Amino acid sequence: MDKIEQSPVHEDDYAPEDLEPSPTQDEYAPVIFAQDTISHVVSLDMLSGVEDRKNVIRARASGKGVLTAPFRLIKTNRLGVILTFAVYKRDLPSNATPNERIQATDGYLGGVFDIESLVEKLLQQLASNQTILVNVYDTTNQSHPISMYGKDVSEDGLQHVSPLNFGDPDRKHEMRCRFKQKQAWPWLAMTTSIGILIIALLLGYIFHATLNRIAKVEDDYHEMMELKKRAEDADVAKSQFLATVSHEIRTPMNGVLGMLHLLMDTDLDVTQQDYVKTAQDSGKALVSLINEVLDQAKIESGKLELEAIPFNLRAILDDILSLFSGKSQEKGLELAVYISDSVPEMLIGDPGRFRQIITNLIGNSIKFTEKGHIFVTVNLVEEVIESIDLEIESSTNSTLSGYPIANRRLSWAGFQTFSEERPSACHFMPSPPELINLMVSVEDTGVGIPLEAQSCVFTPFMQVRPSISRTHGGTGIGLSISKCLVGLMKGEIGFVSVPKIGSTFTFTAVFTKCSSNSSEYNKTQQIKNISIPTSSEFKGMRALIVDHRPIRAKVSRYHIQRLGINVEVLSDLNQCLSSSTISGSTINMIFVEQDLWDKDTSTSDLFIKNLRNSYGVPPKLFFLTTSISSSKASTIVSDVFTPTVILKPLRSGMLAASLHRVMGVGIKGNPRNGELPVLSLRNLLLGRKILVIDDNKVNRIVAAGALQRYGADVVCENSGREAIRLLTPPHHFDACFMDIQMPEMDGFEATRRIREIELQIKNGIQAGELSIEAYENKCDWGVPILAMTADVIQATHEECLKGGMNGYVSKPFEVERLYREVSQCFRRTSNGTL
């Protein structure tokens, strides 16, 4: 109890005689006060009062604490309660009976509690806060609750009621809390109602918007799927349209070019040959344009795929030089190719697409270059990074033609292959040993690309200026196609261009090594006849190159060394005059650049006299020149000594032919580079019976004329059903050219049925059901069938193989390609692999 509120009862105030004596009863419960202030008071009996007696008896019978009803305390006149507990003589079990508890009772322990003081101490912080009021009630009688703490206030407004448990199950108490200040209940109700309404509306709106959004997403999804289906259908229709247009355009072009080719083999005068040649060039240009458009369409549809076949890189570059040699000679340009010795001779990849990339780049350089040079270099990427020579060449004026060039190192500055921080350093991830990473650069000294147009160089159908297409021609998609092809070859392409100086395009490409001992290598060499001319006749010979430009001398040395000739380079004619080897027999040939020869006529005359006075066999003299006019002017140097003029660009085939003719060794003549020997083809095709199936009469005439030219016996028919009839065993055809797109029955279906018939006969003979004598003692009738079509989109090589065909020739086909495919089939047949 609070000591301040204690009112001690003094002995003077204590008069026992004035108290009411306890009635006679069975038991008594006298009070012993524990407080010192009233410990002398010993005469109170708690069993005397009716309510006190009930509480004491209830406490000992239940074993729990019992509270009295609130009453006014003496002196303080404040409300209080008495809490009484029974004290037992021994420990009782929890399930002891009331009688057992009464018998074991030893006494009682009670305490008087001031309710107000108790509540204030328990809820001191809450009670001292003037914003909340607390009331405690004895609610044992629900109809008349007794206020034990707090002021009586009206019960309107919000309040919180909490039950209180003092341990007596028979008495109930509760605490009521409310705000001291009366709230503005109408405003709170309105605000709450409005807030709830707004929240409900927002939730409704969100729910409604969510449903609408879901419905819209579903509608958009269905619309997107419909558009996707339409786009796919449109893509298929586009591919079919392009295939049809390709077939319809290329079919008559095949007839035109084929007839012109056959016409060239007839007796024509010079004027007529010029007309036919012009018509051929125009037709080939149209076919090239068609091919570019179709390639762009295949790129957009994602249907452009690469082959993986063995090819000779140097032979392909020689073929490309032959293609542009005429234009470069007309303009007097230096056109040259240099391939590093580290680059393998044979690679596995797509030679056609690789040729297409370089052809596009050189073609653009030829168009926009009027003086100087066009230089193609092929190196390993690792070699370019580590090469000091290349760094020196790019940083000085020592170029192929002496004209300044754009720094070609900038053309690959953005390649991811190199480190961004140090592009010239060896921050290069080496390729696996079976892969070859090539870097090809094409530099020119042309007009360059304007700075404002360099950002759209690789954009399809974009020209630098509208006048460019009128002046030089072209569609503007060559570079775009080239970039896509480089990407398919796992490479990168870039360029650097300086107006009025020139441009350099550089790209990388990844190929696979091809072992020279592999069967694919030997088969490629035999079938395609792309090996370089034999160099055994020139092996051990020695040659001098006289050239004051080191890069140009390096290129000449590269091509001459390919023939097995040992080469020494001198910078001027004076060094040749002072060289003791000229007067001997150790030097077999001397190559002199035309511009160096014409530069100093006195030295040139002295050089001729030196050669004329040399004893033994004098070395052969060759002039290297880029212009047809300059070569004619220098054909005759003197009445006695006549040098041989070799027109650039240098190629191994052309160079070997010139040396054969002048040196008097090997096979004489000057066959075109890459052309198949006529005698070999005649021996191969002579007497062969070939079936040509095509619904177009002109195509049949072209194919028949091309094959009959070399002695083949050709039979032509116009439908797939006729092909089945004629190729049903036994027959005497050695091969068949089958058009794919034909009415009634296409070439694929006809080929499948022919293969089924051949298989049935083979199985029947092996099972003994058919007589092998009835089939000319032949079990395997797998006649070679070559696809022949103008559809370059659907009629792919893979589809032909799946249909049972052995090869593929696209229209308009070149006669050499036609011969090559036929020879391939015949060689396989003779080797027993078909």
Side-chain angles (χ1 to χ4, degrees), residues 317-318 320-321 324-325 328 333-339 358 362 366 372-378 400-401 440-443 551-556 558-559 593 626 648-651:
L317 268 298
D318 284 348
I320 296 175
L321 290 181
F324 292 102
S325 61
S328 65
L333 299 174
E334 285 272 2
L335 176 60
V337 167
Y338 175 79
I339 302 177
I358 299 180
I362 296 180
I366 289 285
H373 70 267
I374 299 167
F375 188 25
V376 182
T377 59
V378 182
L400 182 68
S401 62
V440 183
S441 294
V442 180
E443 72 176 28
I551 303 301
R552 187 170 61 179
K554 181 180 178 181
V555 173
S556 302
Y558 155 72
H559 287 285
E593 284 292 336
T626 60
K648 296 181 181 180
L650 297 179
R651 290 98 68 201

Side-chain angles (χ1 to χ4, degrees), residues 32-82:
I32 299 175
F33 292 98
Q35 294 152 298
D36 293 337
T37 55
I38 55 174
S39 61
H40 56 279
V41 180
V42 294
S43 58
L44 295 181
D45 181 16
M46 295 300 296
L47 292 181
S48 299
V50 178
E51 185 176 357
D52 293 336
R53 182 181 181 85
K54 290 181 179 179
N55 289 338
V56 170
I57 294 175
R58 189 156 52 88
R60 72 181 182 182
S62 63
K64 299 181 179 180
V66 176
L67 283 174
T68 64
F71 61 90
R72 294 290 175 180
L73 296 176
I74 301 173
K75 298 286 186 180
T76 62
N77 200 31
R78 298 170 68 173
L79 288 178
V81 293
I82 299 176

Side-chain angles (χ1 to χ4, degrees), residues 543-803:
L544 286 179
I545 296 177
V546 184
D547 192 350
H548 61 289
R549 293 183 186 144
I551 303 301
R552 187 170 61 179
K554 181 180 178 181
V555 173
S556 302
R557 180 176 184 173
Y558 155 72
H559 287 285
I560 298 173
Q561 282 183 335
R562 289 177 63 189
L563 302 179
I565 301 173
N566 297 322
V567 181
E568 181 180 352
V569 177
L570 301 177
S571 60
D572 56 41
L573 291 175
N574 291 324
Q575 292 183 358
C576 275
L577 292 175
S578 61
S579 177
S580 61
T581 57
I582 297 180
S583 59
S585 60
T586 56
I587 298 299
N588 303 100
M589 59 196 79
I590 301 176
F591 297 88
V592 182
E593 284 292 336
Q594 183 72 55
D595 57 351
L596 180 62
W597 182 269
D598 297 337
K599 186 176 180 180
D600 189 352
T601 55
S602 60
T603 305
S604 302
D605 294 339
L606 182 59
F607 182 80
I608 292 296
K609 291 179 182 180
N610 194 1
L611 289 180
R612 187 184 305 152
N613 296 330
S614 62
Y615 59 92
V617 180
K620 301 297 182 181
L621 181 61
F622 296 89
F623 286 169
L624 303 178
T625 183
T626 60
S627 175
I628 299 176
S629 59
S630 62
S631 66
K632 291 180 180 180
S634 302
T635 300
I636 300 177
V637 176
S638 66
D639 296 334
V640 179
F641 199 88
T642 303
T644 301
V645 177
I646 298 179
L647 283 176
K648 296 181 181 180
L650 297 179
R651 290 98 68 201
S652 61
M654 174 270 296
L655 191 59
S658 300
L659 296 182
H660 277 307
R661 184 173 60 253
V662 175
M663 305 297 292
V665 295
I667 301 175
K668 297 184 179 181
N670 188 17
R672 289 178 297 170
N673 185 48
E675 182 180 352
L676 294 174
V678 175
L679 183 59
S680 176
L681 279 175
R682 179 170 293 276
N683 293 335
L684 183 63
L685 296 177
L686 184 62
R688 298 281 188 174
K689 191 171 184 178
I690 299 177
L691 178 63
V692 175
I693 304 295
D694 199 314
D695 61 316
N696 186 279
K697 181 179 179 181
V698 177
N699 290 338
R700 295 197 299 270
I701 295 175
V702 171
L707 295 171
Q708 289 172 350
R709 177 184 179 188
Y710 290 95
D713 183 10
V714 181
V715 176
C716 297
E717 291 295 341
N718 60 359
S719 68
R721 299 187 184 278
E722 287 297 320
I724 297 174
R725 182 182 65 82
L726 293 174
L727 294 180
T728 300
H731 61 78
H732 298 89
F733 290 100
D734 297 295
C736 173
F737 276 81
M738 181 84 69
D739 187 23
I740 292 180
Q741 292 186 353
M742 293 186 294
E744 296 183 6
M745 182 183 295
D746 60 23
F748 289 129
E749 180 64 24
T751 302
R752 278 192 292 268
R753 295 192 183 185
I754 292 171
R755 297 306 186 204
E756 290 175 358
I757 295 173
E758 293 172 347
L759 183 60
Q760 290 175 0
I761 293 175
K762 180 179 180 180
N763 294 337
I765 293 175
Q766 292 177 348
E769 300 174 357
L770 299 177
S771 173
I772 192 172
E773 289 80 9
Y775 294 92
E776 301 178 356
N777 294 320
K778 187 177 179 181
C779 179
D780 192 352
W781 285 87
V783 60
I785 300 178
L786 301 176
M788 185 174 60
T789 180
D791 179 0
V792 297
I793 293 210
Q794 292 181 341
T796 60
H797 182 66
E798 290 77 9
E799 289 176 324
C800 295
L801 294 180
K802 290 180 182 179

Side-chain angles (χ1 to χ4, degrees), residues 101-136:
R101 293 182 180 278
I102 292 173
Q103 294 298 327
T105 300
D106 192 25
Y108 308 95
L109 178 66
V112 181
F113 293 92
D114 185 339
I115 297 298
E116 293 183 12
S117 176
L118 177 64
V119 173
E120 287 176 357
K121 286 186 176 294
L122 293 178
L123 305 176
Q124 182 178 5
Q125 185 176 7
L126 181 62
S128 62
N129 192 331
Q130 298 302 314
T131 59
I132 296 178
L133 298 177
V134 179
N135 289 80
V136 178

Side-chain angles (χ1 to χ4, degrees), residues 237-508:
K238 175 183 176 181
S239 299
Q240 293 176 347
F241 171 76
L242 289 173
T244 303
V245 171
S246 167
H247 184 273
E248 296 302 324
I249 294 178
R250 293 166 67 93
T251 296
M253 285 304 303
N254 173 60
V256 171
L257 294 179
M259 288 298 184
L260 289 174
H261 191 92
L262 296 177
L263 184 60
M264 286 290 290
D265 294 333
T266 61
D267 295 331
L268 301 175
D269 57 31
V270 177
T271 303
Q272 291 171 333
Q273 288 182 356
D274 183 63
Y275 291 163
V276 175
K277 184 64 168 59
T278 302
Q280 276 187 321
D281 293 341
S282 300
K284 291 180 179 179
L286 178 57
V287 172
S288 177
L289 175 61
I290 295 172
N291 290 337
E292 286 185 348
V293 175
L294 293 176
D295 282 343
Q296 184 65 30
K298 287 193 286 186
I299 289 172
E300 292 176 354
S301 61
K303 296 181 179 179
L304 188 63
E305 298 180 356
L306 300 181
E307 290 183 312
I309 59 176
F311 68 96
N312 189 308
L313 178 66
R314 289 167 176 81
I316 285 182
L317 268 298
D318 284 348
D319 291 342
I320 296 175
L321 290 181
S322 299
L323 179 65
F324 292 102
S325 61
K327 294 181 179 178
S328 65
Q329 291 166 4
E330 290 176 3
K331 289 188 172 184
L333 299 174
E334 285 272 2
L335 176 60
V337 167
Y338 175 79
I339 302 177
S340 171
D341 294 335
S342 302
V343 178
E345 179 182 355
M346 296 297 299
L347 300 172
I348 296 178
D350 193 327
R353 296 303 183 182
F354 183 72
R355 180 199 304 264
Q356 184 177 356
I357 296 171
I358 299 180
T359 300
N360 284 337
L361 297 179
I362 296 180
N364 288 338
S365 295
I366 289 285
K367 286 180 185 178
F368 302 106
T369 304
E370 299 299 330
K371 60 182 179 179
H373 70 267
I374 299 167
F375 188 25
V376 182
T377 59
V378 182
N379 296 274
L380 298 180
V381 172
E382 299 92 333
E383 185 183 15
V384 172
I385 296 174
E386 299 173 357
S387 175
I388 301 177
D389 294 338
L390 292 177
E391 184 176 357
I392 295 175
E393 291 167 14
S394 63
S395 60
T396 66
N397 292 327
S398 179
T399 62
L400 182 68
S401 62
Y403 285 87
I405 61 172
N407 186 359
R408 65 173 180 172
R409 283 191 172 274
L410 299 178
S411 63
W412 66 69
F415 287 3
Q416 296 180 359
T417 305
F418 305 96
S419 170
E420 295 182 358
E421 297 180 357
R422 297 178 60 191
S424 61
C426 300
H427 286 255
F428 169 74
M429 296 299 294
S431 302
E434 69 276 5
L435 298 181
I436 297 296
N437 200 347
L438 295 184
M439 175 177 285
V440 183
S441 294
V442 180
E443 72 176 28
D444 63 60
T445 56
V447 297
I449 304 174
L451 298 178
E452 65 274 9
Q454 293 185 7
S455 60
C456 59
V457 164
F458 295 107
T459 304
F461 303 104
M462 290 293 293
Q463 295 278 12
V464 175
R465 303 185 194 91
S467 60
I468 292 296
S469 60
R470 295 192 296 269
T471 304
H472 300 282
T475 59
I477 59 177
L479 290 177
S480 173
I481 295 174
S482 298
K483 183 176 182 179
C484 175
L485 295 177
V486 169
L488 292 177
M489 294 179 182
K490 300 179 182 179
E492 300 172 272
I493 187 171
F495 73 97
V496 59
S497 183
V498 180
K500 299 181 181 181
I501 296 296
S503 304
T504 299
F505 282 80
T506 299
F507 71 92
T508 59

